[in-house]
Amino acid sequence: MTGVMAAASAPADNAGMHGHGEYKMPGGKLVVADVAIDRGRLAQVAVSGDFFLEPDEALDAINAALAGQSADADADVLAAVVQAALPVQVRMYGISADAVAVAVRRAIDAAEAA
């Protein structure tokens, strides 16, 4: 089991908008999302926080699955994308697909408000 504390990488400088969102899951941990939006799509997503995922590669799968999604997607759609990207054997401690979706949606909203 490995702790996840730092974002994978900063959003690309050439993307149109950047946003940062946070969500403390009730009874769980902090989930942070940094996004870059380009032409209405998530160009890059970096999820981080004080949660645990097993195996470590699950975080890469989450980030990759969210990249390319519409910036208009609601939290339910984003949660379904996250859940679909994770193999059955992934263990999530202090985090859920719904919590990731809320953090990402908040990051999108922050980018659009800027």
Side-chain angles (χ1 to χ4, degrees):
M1 183 165 48
T2 301
V4 179
M5 291 301 292
S9 62
D13 288 336
N14 62 352
M17 296 184 289
H18 302 272
H20 175 84
E22 297 181 0
Y23 178 66
K24 170 113 173 46
M25 186 173 134
K29 301 292 186 175
L30 179 68
V31 181
V32 177
D34 289 289
V35 302
I37 301 171
D38 191 24
R39 292 183 281 263
R41 299 232 164 248
L42 298 177
Q44 190 171 19
V45 179
V47 174
S48 61
D50 63 353
F51 54 83
F52 294 92
L53 290 173
E54 198 174 65
D56 294 341
E57 297 79 30
L59 186 59
D60 293 335
I62 290 170
N63 290 334
L66 290 167
Q69 296 300 311
S70 172
D72 292 333
D74 65 22
D76 290 338
V77 169
L78 296 172
V81 166
V82 170
Q83 193 62 51
L86 298 175
V88 176
Q89 72 272 17
V90 169
R91 299 289 177 243
M92 302 171 85
Y93 304 95
I95 184 178
S96 68
D98 290 329
V100 171
V102 170
V104 170
R105 189 66 248 165
R106 287 181 177 178
I108 293 168
D109 292 344
E112 291 175 340

